[in-house]
Amino acid sequence: WVELSRKIGESNLLDQRFVERAMLASMCQNKHMVSLMEKDKNSAWYAAPTPPQLWGGGRNSEPKVMGQSIERFTCFGTQFAFSVMPRHSQDKLPADGIAFADALTAPGNIRAEQKQLQDMMLRHVEGLTSMCKGMAKTKETRDALFNFIAQTCEANSLRQKLFFQYHSHVLPAGGDGFVLNIASVMLELCKPFLDPSDAKFQKIDWTYPLSDTRFEFSKETKLAASDLQAAEWIDHRNLDRARQFNAASGGTSASSADDDGENRTARVKPSTTFGSISEFFFLCMQALHSINMQFVMRQYSRISNEAYKAQKAYMAQSGTVDPQKALAVISRSLSMTCVLEDEGLHTNIILYCRAMARGLLQVCGFSWPGGMPTNVSSLLAVLPETTVQVVAEGLNFVFALASQVLENQPVQTINDLVTFAVCMVSRPDHVKNPYLRGKLFAFLSHLVPMTHNGRRIGDAFHHVWESHEVLKQMLVPALMEFYVEVEVTGSHNQFYEKFEYRQYIATIFRHIWAMPHYRQQTKDNAKGEQFVRFLNMMINDTIYNIDQAMEDLEQLNVMQNEQQSWATLPEEQRDENLQRLDRTENSCRYGIRQTDETLEMLGTLTGLLPEVFVTEDMSGRVAAMFDGMVDRLAGPNRKRLKVADPEKYGFHPRDLLKRLVTCFLNLSVLPAFVEAVGHEDRYFSEKLFHDVLAILTRGNQINPNEAEKFRSFVQNCVTAAQNTAADDELFEDAPDEFFDPVQFTVMTEPVLLTTSGTIMDRSVIRRHLLSDQTDPFNRKHLTEDMLEPVPELKAKIEAFKMEALAKRKASQSQ
């Protein structure tokens, strides 16, 4: 065993040790030999525990088995370790000196070499699968296989961290190729029972993750239940101990487990034994989870970008490019492609995701046309988040690397996945983690037809948006609710994370608002506080993105003018400036794209629901935002935005101005909006708006009818501005207590903030509370129902105004 494992561990592309692999595979299928090996804890069957200093543990931590130890030093691990992928981004490439040696000088050979390596990996995975199928035939060898997979997943738990990184001095986790091989084999072993219509699928026991048969599932975060609730619903014997622990740790009260009792179905009774199908299915789940697909995609994207830049620099015959380094990064990228773009792997991931999705919907009690049940199933609530996570990450993994595989799936498969995604995102009580629901929104956004890297994708999913009844009924309110919810997630990085998830939502909205059904759904849901908060946060995002993009453009303007002088700077300072330039360019591209998308959404909404933009809370804010954007794009300081090659950043100021004019025209029929625009004395001017019209006319981006409507709108705004100026004169000598302390405007409905004792205008504080339910003066929790009217002050303001109006009328009559 030891000698065979050692020789296999030394294999490479030129010497794959086929004889030794066949011998070891045969021995692994012999139940008597396996039993002997399992009894000997010092044999090559087991990996030795790693001291804590080598895996980042604390001083008092116990040694534990790490993924790398299993990969390199066990008889099973060495079998699965073989891969053309590098262990990690800095490791020596298995194909170094063997494949892609002429990638720079003879790129025409790349496809053939990739095909050769892909065939090699396919045969290797087939051999591993055959060995494991043989082991599954007897109880002794099957248990040994299950134990190995479970131990390997546990030993690679470090990979499951969101921002997992390899360390240069020690690599406690197994390599990418190792964990991908294990997942590939487990997917193949699960294929016979992944069809939801097959009787074998019904043998999956969904209480398996409630047991600690091979994993400590009890330590994992649950989909919708706290640890205390899980203890009560799964096993009453755990309840007293859980309550004692919770009270001692300063948690919720001992009765908190019953808080949601009315919304739960029957308590859960886990099985005591599980069949092989359940073992394979949930071991496969853990194997997929161990990959950390987000991390692998991030690494692959980074290395692919480096390879692209290296090849581009080499082709340009730049003297700064080292051919050996360029070849190394290109070979690394091509080798990763051989594994990560394997269509067989991606097809199996989709099949598994569909099976998991159908199973979870079954656990929920979902039916159609009934939909999601009112009560949350106790079984679903106590399942680990991993059950949903592998579906969300698996589907996004497939789309990122092989979107054509997803497009080629049967209609029923896509429908099942969409049903699952929209049901989960629409019910936060079923999946409490907003990041999991955000990943499912990402999947739904991938179904929107678009052009990606020069290739049209997503057209195959057109039928989904038109005919999927669950999607048509549940999607729009779910999109609005999540747009608001993701504003505050509790993460230290929530401010930036929300833009990623809202971009997915914007992509979906822009697509579905072209369809009458979804437009009507939007109208039907444009009622109440939730929609106002949704609209307010969209405006917040637009303001932030346009400000960020304009600041970046101004910085680029300065840096591009200075760039010629950088050649005389020291190398370190020059490199620092180039990095800063690159960061600013990326930020600018992102900000402009986000601005364009939100303006497009606002253009649709202002046409669809113009009345919601002229409420007391909204009209002034919307007018200020639009006027301010016009000033930035067409005002006296617009020359600061002039950059070389604006196309590089997607900066088309005329297109942005056209979107703004569309919004103005959509709202121009509403007197309250006209008044709000004219009242915005910081940015509005008749000359500025006529300049906008001239710019669009020169670019043939506005037709005569629109131009005439815009001129009329501008004239109405000028009249409103004159009336506003006259009204402002009434309060020139008004007491300070009449003015809102934030906006410095005369209050129309003063209210007391009970948390700080400050008096503000209701419209101003309401606008603040839509985004942030805290007192702006002391950050204490504050909601609208905590505001108290100040009728005495309101009466004084109205009396002052009436007296001022009377004086002005008397003066005019004289």
Side-chain angles (χ1 to χ4, degrees):
W1 291 90
V2 174
E3 185 61 18
L4 286 174
S5 299
R6 183 186 64 79
K7 289 185 177 181
I8 292 172
E10 296 172 352
S11 62
N12 55 50
L13 294 182
L14 293 178
D15 183 7
Q16 297 178 45
R17 305 293 173 93
F18 290 115
V19 174
E20 288 84 352
R21 290 180 186 278
M23 291 175 62
L24 189 57
S26 177
M27 293 166 68
C28 287
Q29 296 174 55
N30 186 304
K31 64 180 182 180
H32 300 295
M33 298 187 73
V34 168
S35 296
L36 288 173
M37 291 297 292
E38 280 214 296
K39 290 176 182 177
D40 182 4
K41 299 299 181 182
N42 295 316
S43 69
W45 200 265
Y46 293 95
T50 303
Q53 63 267 26
L54 295 182
W55 53 266
R59 181 180 301 176
N60 298 322
S61 301
E62 294 291 329
K64 63 180 182 180
V65 176
M66 303 307 296
Q68 184 184 159
S69 301
I70 295 176
E71 178 181 0
R72 291 185 174 182
F73 306 121
T74 66
C75 60
F76 256 173
T78 54
Q79 288 272 54
F80 283 90
F82 178 80
S83 177
V84 299
M85 283 187 72
R87 172 184 294 277
H88 61 95
S89 61
Q90 303 301 323
D91 199 12
K92 178 178 171 62
L93 193 68
D96 276 354
I98 301 170
F100 311 123
D102 55 355
L104 285 173
T105 57
N109 298 335
I110 289 175
R111 281 294 178 191
E113 291 183 319
Q114 279 188 312
K115 182 66 168 60
Q116 184 180 3
L117 291 181
Q118 286 175 331
D119 291 343
M120 184 185 301
M121 285 304 304
L122 179 62
R123 289 194 300 271
H124 177 57
V125 171
E126 287 175 347
L128 292 173
T129 304
S130 178
M131 178 186 74
C132 293
K133 283 181 178 179
M135 294 185 69
K137 292 179 180 178
T138 65
K139 183 180 184 307
E140 292 82 0
T141 53
R142 185 168 58 247
D143 281 345
L145 174 63
F146 290 160
N147 288 336
F148 167 75
I149 300 297
Q151 184 191 43
T152 302
C153 293
E154 179 67 26
N156 283 292
S157 59
L158 177 68
R159 293 185 60 94
Q160 298 166 7
K161 294 184 178 180
L162 184 61
F163 295 107
F164 160 65
Q165 290 183 344
Y166 290 106
H167 300 285
S168 58
H169 62 288
V170 58
L171 305 176
D176 296 338
F178 175 61
V179 293
L180 279 164
N181 280 342
I182 291 177
S184 297
V185 170
M186 291 304 297
L187 287 167
E188 286 290 338
L189 295 173
C190 286
K191 280 177 71 173
F193 48 83
L194 293 183
D195 183 354
S197 63
D198 193 284
K200 292 180 180 179
F201 174 79
Q202 300 304 325
K203 294 182 179 181
I204 298 173
D205 189 335
W206 292 90
T207 67
Y208 184 94
L210 311 186
S211 71
D212 287 337
T213 303
R214 300 190 193 276
F215 299 100
E216 291 187 280
F217 283 116
S218 58
K219 293 183 178 180
E220 294 196 18
T221 305
K222 309 301 185 290
L223 282 174
S226 67
D227 290 341
L228 184 58
Q229 290 169 333
E232 180 183 8
W233 298 334
I234 296 172
D235 190 344
H236 287 281
R237 294 171 298 177
N238 296 332
L239 182 57
D240 289 339
R241 184 176 298 176
R243 284 176 169 168
Q244 291 169 10
F245 172 79
N246 198 52
S249 59
T252 56
S253 66
S255 62
S256 64
D258 301 313
D259 288 348
D260 295 332
E262 294 182 0
N263 296 324
R264 302 294 174 185
T265 55
R267 302 188 189 281
V268 181
K269 186 177 181 180
S271 302
T272 54
T273 58
F274 301 95
S276 298
I277 288 178
S278 298
E279 294 261 25
F280 275 118
F281 187 79
F282 289 105
L283 285 169
C284 185
M285 177 186 78
Q286 291 298 96
L288 287 168
H289 188 41
S290 296
I291 296 173
N292 190 339
M293 289 180 261
Q294 282 185 291
F295 167 77
V296 173
M297 284 192 294
R298 196 163 57 240
Q299 290 288 91
Y300 180 50
S301 176
R302 180 180 62 79
I303 292 172
S304 296
N305 287 334
E306 289 178 2
Y308 171 77
K309 291 178 180 178
Q311 188 170 31
K312 187 177 179 180
Y314 179 83
M315 297 299 291
Q317 296 182 344
S318 171
T320 61
V321 178
D322 183 342
Q324 291 302 316
K325 289 183 178 180
L327 181 60
V329 70
I330 291 171
S331 298
R332 191 176 304 281
S333 173
L334 294 172
S335 296
M336 295 180 77
T337 300
C338 293
V339 176
L340 295 178
E341 297 189 9
D342 172 26
E343 293 193 0
L345 168 65
H346 294 296
T347 299
N348 288 345
I349 289 175
I350 293 172
L351 292 176
Y352 184 87
C353 290
R354 182 199 181 196
M356 179 66 80
R358 284 285 295 266
L360 290 175
L361 287 175
Q362 183 176 300
V363 170
C364 286
F366 169 83
S367 63
W368 192 256
M372 294 288 281
T374 303
N375 294 337
V376 182
S377 160
S378 292
L379 175 54
L380 180 84
V382 296
L383 288 176
E385 288 185 347
T386 310
T387 53
V388 173
Q389 186 174 348
V390 293
V391 177
E393 292 185 354
L395 294 174
N396 291 326
F397 183 76
V398 171
F399 179 83
L401 299 173
S403 59
Q404 72 280 2
V405 176
L406 195 61
E407 291 183 278
N408 293 333
Q409 293 303 305
V411 171
Q412 187 57 52
T413 296
I414 299 299
N415 284 344
D416 285 346
L417 294 171
V418 170
T419 299
F420 171 77
V422 75
C423 285
M424 294 299 108
V425 299
S426 67
R427 292 294 296 271
D429 56 340
H430 282 62
V431 181
K432 290 190 173 181
N433 187 336
Y435 295 109
L436 286 183
R437 283 179 278 126
K439 291 174 183 178
L440 290 171
F441 274 120
F443 162 66
L444 291 174
S445 74
H446 295 329
L447 304 182
V448 173
M450 65 183 72
T451 300
H452 181 68
N453 290 336
R455 188 175 74 85
R456 184 70 179 172
I457 59 176
D459 289 331
F461 306 129
H462 183 72
H463 67 90
V464 172
W465 305 101
E466 293 282 2
S467 61
H468 198 291
E469 292 301 323
V470 181
L471 192 72
K472 289 166 68 176
Q473 179 173 313
M474 301 171 68
L475 179 62
V476 169
L479 289 167
M480 292 181 182
E481 183 175 355
F482 190 73
Y483 198 101
V484 173
E485 180 189 358
V486 80
E487 178 76 15
V488 180
T489 61
S491 165
H492 70 283
N493 205 31
Q494 66 183 15
F495 179 78
Y496 298 101
E497 290 170 340
K498 69 182 180 183
F499 290 112
E500 176 187 354
Y501 295 118
R502 286 176 177 171
Q503 186 175 2
Y504 302 141
I505 294 174
T507 299
I508 296 171
F509 266 135
R510 292 200 315 276
H511 179 63
I512 64 176
W513 277 339
M515 305 176 198
H517 172 81
Y518 293 104
R519 292 169 70 90
Q520 186 59 48
Q521 275 271 303
T522 303
K523 285 185 175 182
D524 293 342
N525 284 274
K527 303 177 182 69
E529 186 76 8
Q530 185 74 4
F531 182 79
V532 175
R533 288 172 62 83
F534 162 69
L535 188 60
N536 182 69
M537 289 175 186
M538 190 187 302
I539 292 171
N540 288 348
D541 291 350
T542 306
I543 293 171
Y544 172 80
N545 286 320
I546 189 67
D547 285 348
Q548 187 65 52
M550 298 302 103
E551 288 175 13
D552 288 337
L553 285 167
E554 290 177 2
Q555 288 185 35
L556 287 173
N557 177 288
V558 173
M559 285 189 282
Q560 288 177 352
N561 290 331
E562 296 175 346
Q563 196 168 3
Q564 289 185 345
S565 64
W566 291 355
T568 61
L569 297 175
E571 182 178 357
E572 184 177 348
Q573 188 175 352
R574 185 172 65 249
D575 290 344
E576 183 179 331
N577 285 347
L578 289 172
Q579 290 174 8
R580 183 163 58 91
L581 175 63
D582 187 58
R583 287 194 302 270
T584 306
E585 287 182 335
N586 290 333
S587 174
C588 182
R589 272 189 291 266
Y590 179 80
I592 290 172
R593 185 175 69 248
Q594 291 287 87
T595 299
D596 187 63
E597 290 175 354
T598 50
L599 277 180
E600 184 180 351
M601 290 175 67
L602 287 170
T604 302
L605 279 177
T606 53
L608 194 63
L609 297 161
E611 64 278 1
V612 303
F613 290 86
V614 293
T615 62
E616 186 181 11
D617 303 324
M618 285 292 165
S619 58
R621 184 138 193 265
V622 172
M625 176 186 70
F626 287 156
D627 287 0
M629 293 177 71
V630 169
D631 182 70
R632 296 292 290 270
L633 293 167
N637 295 322
R638 66 178 182 268
K639 291 183 178 180
R640 296 179 184 177
L641 308 179
K642 188 174 182 180
V643 293
D645 192 11
E647 185 68 35
K648 180 179 180 180
Y649 314 108
F651 180 48
H652 307 291
R654 285 180 179 172
D655 291 345
L656 294 176
L657 286 172
K658 173 60 176 174
R659 292 200 188 282
L660 286 168
V661 168
T662 298
C663 294
F664 280 126
L665 293 178
N666 288 339
L667 300 175
S668 63
V669 296
L670 301 171
F673 180 71
V674 174
E675 182 180 339
V677 172
H679 183 70
E680 183 49 58
D681 55 2
R682 291 174 298 175
Y683 304 118
F684 175 75
S685 77
E686 183 177 8
K687 180 182 182 307
L688 173 62
F689 275 56
H690 282 304
D691 286 346
V692 169
L693 184 58
I695 291 170
L696 294 179
T697 301
R698 287 196 300 270
N700 295 319
Q701 290 184 285
I702 189 168
N703 63 49
N705 185 44
E706 290 173 328
E708 183 56 36
K709 285 183 178 180
F710 191 68
R711 287 191 194 93
S712 176
F713 165 70
V714 173
Q715 185 55 51
N716 291 337
C717 291
V718 170
T719 301
Q722 293 169 349
N723 294 336
T724 298
D727 289 343
D728 288 343
E729 291 177 0
L730 296 175
F731 292 93
E732 282 184 347
D733 301 321
D736 290 344
E737 65 174 334
F738 288 7
F739 292 86
D740 178 86
V742 174
Q743 291 291 335
F744 304 106
T745 53
V746 177
M747 293 184 284
T748 58
E749 189 175 355
V751 292
L752 176 70
L753 279 56
T754 55
T755 44
S756 65
T758 307
I759 295 176
M760 292 182 65
D761 196 16
R762 182 181 290 275
S763 63
V764 177
I765 186 61
R766 265 180 54 85
R767 193 183 309 152
H768 167 80
L769 294 177
L770 289 172
S771 304
D772 184 357
Q773 293 192 327
T774 61
D775 187 317
F777 296 95
N778 60 15
R779 308 305 297 168
K780 290 183 179 180
H781 179 66
L782 179 67
T783 57
E784 188 175 358
D785 59 359
M786 297 166 66
L787 304 176
E788 294 182 357
V790 188
E792 301 84 2
L793 180 57
K794 181 177 181 180
K796 289 170 65 176
I797 295 173
E798 290 177 348
F800 184 93
K801 183 176 181 180
M802 293 298 293
E803 183 180 349
L805 283 171
K807 289 181 179 180
R808 185 170 70 179
K809 186 175 181 180
S811 173
Q812 290 173 346
S813 63
Q814 292 176 359

